[in-house]
Amino acid sequence: VQLQASGGGLVQPGTSLRLSCAASGSISVIDDMRWFRQPPGKDREWVATISNRFQTRYADPVKGRFTISRDDAKKTAQLLMEGLRPEDTAVYSCNADIFTRSADVISAWGLGTLVTVSS
């Protein structure tokens, strides 16, 4: 089972960016899907979660600006980031709780994608 994040880049403050996370492999069901980020020189921090019932939660610094969504048919999760600020600069990674076809439950991580917000 693999997760792959994409969509990062260099953007100006105030603009928007959409990240995508794609899951692949021997997957039966995907439970919670999450986004984390790690700013330069800082620890990784949780950003947002979406459950398999599409319930969402957000960290206070991004609440009202970021929107997490998922497409179970495509096995993807997205993070729409609006009103980006320089402090949003970080490597963004996705994480998901996955039930595999062999009845295992794993917490899968994908390689991150760098988002740089700068003028």
Side-chain angles (χ1 to χ4, degrees):
V1 174
Q2 291 184 327
L3 294 180
Q4 180 63 57
S6 61
L10 172 63
V11 297
Q12 293 188 337
T15 60
S16 302
L17 198 62
R18 184 188 297 271
L19 304 182
S20 184
C21 174
S24 61
S26 181
I27 298 170
S28 177
V29 174
I30 302 177
D31 199 353
D32 287 359
M33 302 185 80
R34 308 173 189 88
W35 285 96
F36 288 80
R37 68 184 183 185
Q38 185 167 19
K42 297 184 179 180
D43 293 334
R44 184 170 61 194
E45 60 188 28
W46 168 73
V47 175
T49 298
I50 184 166
S51 74
N52 60 2
R53 297 184 179 182
F54 299 91
Q55 296 168 318
T56 59
R57 293 185 294 121
Y58 298 92
D60 286 344
V62 307
K63 202 171 291 184
R65 298 188 298 122
F66 289 12
T67 303
I68 188 172
S69 59
R70 63 189 287 166
D71 184 333
D72 287 339
K74 296 181 179 179
K75 297 185 177 62
T76 60
Q78 293 78 40
L79 185 69
L80 174 61
M81 305 183 293
E82 299 176 291
L84 283 164
R85 305 167 180 168
E87 54 263 39
D88 294 318
T89 294
V91 174
Y92 285 73
S93 302
C94 54
N95 164 260
D97 297 333
I98 294 176
F99 293 80
T100 70
R101 291 179 182 151
S102 57
D104 294 322
V105 180
I106 62 173
S107 180
W109 286 90
L111 293 177
T113 184
L114 176 62
V115 174
T116 303
V117 185
S118 175
S119 55

